[in-house]
Amino acid sequence: MTSDIHARVTRLPIEDKVRMLTGRTGWVLHEIPEAGLLPVTVSDGPAGVRGTEATQQEHSASTPSPTAVAAAWDTGLMERTGRFFAAEARRKDVDVVLAPVLNLHRSPVGGRHFECFSEDPVLTGELGAAFVRAVQGEGVGACPKHFVGNETERERTSYRARIDERTLREVYLPPFEAALDAGAWTVMAAYNGVDDGVESNSMTDHHRLLTGLLKEELGFDGVVVSDWTAARSTAPSANAGLDLVMPGPRGPWAEGDALLRAVRSGEVPESVIDDKVVRVLRLAARVGKLDHDTSPAVEGEDERVLLRETGSRGHVLLRNEGGLLPVAVDDVRRIALIGPNAVDAYTQGGGSAHVNSKYLVSPAEGLREALPDGVELTVVRGVDPRRLLPAASRDLVTSLGMTLLDASGDPVGTPELDRTAFHIGVDDPRAARAVVTADLHLAERGLHQVEVGVVGRHTVRVDGDVLAEGGRPASDAEILESRHSHPDGPRTGIVVDAPRTVRVEIGLEVSDFGDFGRGVVAQLRHLPPGPSAEEEIAEAVRAAEDSDVAVVVVGTNDEVESEGYDRPTLALPGRQDELVRRVAAANPRTAVVVNAGAPVLLPWLDEVPAVLWSWFGGHEYGHALADTLTGRSEPTGRLPWTLPRDHADVPVMDTRPDRGVLAYDEGVFVGYRAYDRDGREPHRPFGFGLGYTDWEITEALLGDPLPERDGGLLGGPVRVTATLANTGARPGRHVVQVYVEPPADSAGTTRPVRALAAFASVRAEPGSEATVHLDVPPRAFAVWDPATHSWRTPEGTYRLAVGSSSRAIAHRLSLDVR
């Protein structure tokens, strides 16, 4: 096939070759009949396959977030998830899924934390490789992203990550290497640049990392695609190793035939173009889109069953004093389900990972279905944690329209609005301003709150009176954030004694969105009359007092976790901490469920009887949560990151670039490695998780013979055999973890106290034992030597720590390396 593809390329005119290197649309590549190339379609996919412009509004299975699946620490479960993604992709005529996200949890405040797997490179790499193998095993392409150093959303399109060579090789590159070893067919180049001795303003321009490392050293033969609008140059990005610019049809290669002109002028050799075309055709052949559509149909698991099981498998039990969980449903008559996320669960993070599903199982729906007849379930919100008002219901809006005006104030267009929150692109170059008018019919007596979120210069009037005016031209960061979140804006209270209509008028300057074109952003928000915060908490306390068991569901929401911005705090929003403490004081049988995708501070964690971390669970969230709470399934999850006790304990809390540069000064000490180095006690350590049964790792042995050296590395893996016993009363799963503890003197190289090297999820029946073999790879003992640009394994006595978390070590095995 390779020689045939090269032959096809030689027959193509340069115009066709260049054309196929920029997307035809936002999601579809060009068809080139002369080359046998059929349209290849890509789609966002970290937490469900969204589809294309034509299918995005159709049902998409909303899966548990990547961090939720990673929390099971089970490559087999990840492979099942990958095969399900492949089936979803084929159902939507998608050829390449833009997943997995292999960036690390460098800081818990990262806005896309929920899209990534872990703070550890080994756990991330093993799970990412399992996903790639499974998806591509069904003939659908995977696209590991975002290569590389893309761990913050602050200034995300322009910052440069300053990462030293050793840190890059030991921490941030290994997950991508694992994905390449699994055969990844595409890789996405990130927005950010990387300063690793060679400055670049974008990874799309980084020749040393894209061509020198990725393609030449690591042998990647697939397509390097830009993150959407990340490519900003023509010849530099083409010569650096970028193969495909997305989205189309615009971009730095297509606009004004820029790449074609660069080839004709000699800035970009035609041989460079030919290599890119070969890669695109190779991808098409792999996904069944060369000559004839041979993309196979994929049989996926039952959506409801898999998503429900996956959600429960990832749940992490952080505390369970007195065996409160699982709830003995046959022994209770009244259960209070309390909390903002009990009423409005946050089941998927914001941004490009968001999909449109037909339904969502709420915690109340799931629990009602799981409870026996006769058990009374009371549902109370307790607090409103939101800083901003909710979007105005379209049912309240009797008229909604927009008029575009030129600089003289004359109308030049009337774009259609069908929602009260909008991000409208404006293609007409004459348009300078937009005026939005909305009539809200307010019938309920009492105090209504009306709020308008705006981006850029604006004037807001309510019933003709100016509520706010001013602002400034929107920055790139504000525009990007507004695509995924809710912008700030003025708010007013309106007292309604009798039904009335209120007119809101929003005047907006058309903003220049840079790579995203021009447009306007605004949101009309409304809150009807209701109880005060204190009244809501008092209602929750009464419900708890009147119940046998109280379940409080707290967490984040779409104002807190999303692509586009990092979090300023790890505290739960609003008065949720107060709600937990007051409910727990009212009912000593209180279980708290945390519905969040990334770490939040839990100051009451060791005060309440039971705490369960439930992640973003996708559209089967309520069923999975009920299964865990009632004991139909076991929470088998383990923390894929470290849970901090306080902000002061977080190793990397500030993710703001300094003058455009984000310095990774912590080096290899990411997450639990920094806690170990500094002697800090986390609230719960990396790898921690309880279950509904008890375990003991009874024995751990080294395999024999041990591998000898092969140059700078050991000649093969070191086998650890562990025996564990289920000493509890029910079947369950335990995650056995192996950490490498280096010699005290590693030839002058400062190393982590311990680093994860291998893991396995093991199932056993009550009263039985299970034996598992774990292979520790040679690289686990090695360090990267910047002086020689190679791996070396320092001599000395290593210890292999076998346990149940990074802090719960059951056995240590000594290994002499000479």
Side-chain angles (χ1 to χ4, degrees), residues 396-401 417 420 435-441 461 463 501-506 524:
L396 293 178
V397 181
T398 57
S399 70
L400 180 65
L417 295 182
T420 56
V435 176
V436 177
T437 56
D439 290 331
L440 276 69
H441 184 67
R461 291 182 171 87
D463 283 344
T501 297
V502 174
R503 167 153 287 200
V504 178
E505 181 180 293
I506 311 169
L524 179 60

Side-chain angles (χ1 to χ4, degrees), residues 102 121-122 124-126 128-130 132-133 173-184:
L102 298 182
V122 170
T124 297
E126 290 293 314
V132 170
R133 283 193 303 269
L173 187 60
F176 288 94
E177 289 185 84
L180 298 190
D181 289 342

Side-chain angles (χ1 to χ4, degrees), residues 27-200:
W27 305 105
V28 183
L29 277 57
H30 281 283
E31 179 179 16
I32 307 291
E34 294 78 6
L37 178 63
L38 303 177
V40 173
T41 300
V42 305
S43 171
D44 276 324
V49 181
R50 183 190 296 168
T52 65
E53 297 95 338
T55 62
Q56 285 184 10
Q57 300 309 311
E58 298 175 3
H59 170 69
S60 295
S62 173
T63 65
S65 63
T67 303
V69 185
W73 288 57
D74 188 340
T75 55
L77 184 65
M78 185 61 76
E79 288 175 354
R80 289 173 59 193
T81 301
R83 287 190 291 272
F84 177 78
F85 269 65
E88 278 285 283
R90 286 305 177 206
R91 182 175 67 82
K92 290 196 162 230
D93 295 323
V94 166
D95 302 302
V96 178
V97 177
L98 302 176
V101 180
L102 298 182
N103 305 114
L104 297 187
H105 297 156
R106 175 177 177 259
S107 170
V109 304
R112 299 182 79 170
H113 195 287
F114 62 90
E115 285 190 55
C116 312
F117 291 141
S118 171
E119 68 187 23
D120 182 82
V122 170
L123 181 57
T124 297
E126 290 293 314
L127 296 174
F131 183 90
V132 170
R133 283 193 303 269
V135 171
Q136 295 188 170
E138 303 293 343
V140 174
C143 184
K145 61 182 187 181
H146 309 81
F147 187 80
V148 61
N150 187 229
E151 276 79 27
T152 185
E153 292 297 281
R154 293 182 181 269
E155 302 178 26
R156 69 178 192 143
T157 64
S158 59
Y159 79 88
R160 300 194 307 277
R162 181 169 294 156
I163 310 175
D164 66 82
E165 185 180 356
R166 180 190 168 202
T167 299
L168 181 68
R169 291 283 187 163
E170 293 187 21
V171 179
Y172 296 98
L173 187 60
F176 288 94
E177 289 185 84
L180 298 190
D181 289 342
W185 295 340
T186 69
V187 168
M188 182 183 290
Y191 288 116
N192 59 279
V194 171
D195 286 359
D196 60 338
V198 179
E199 284 194 9
S200 68

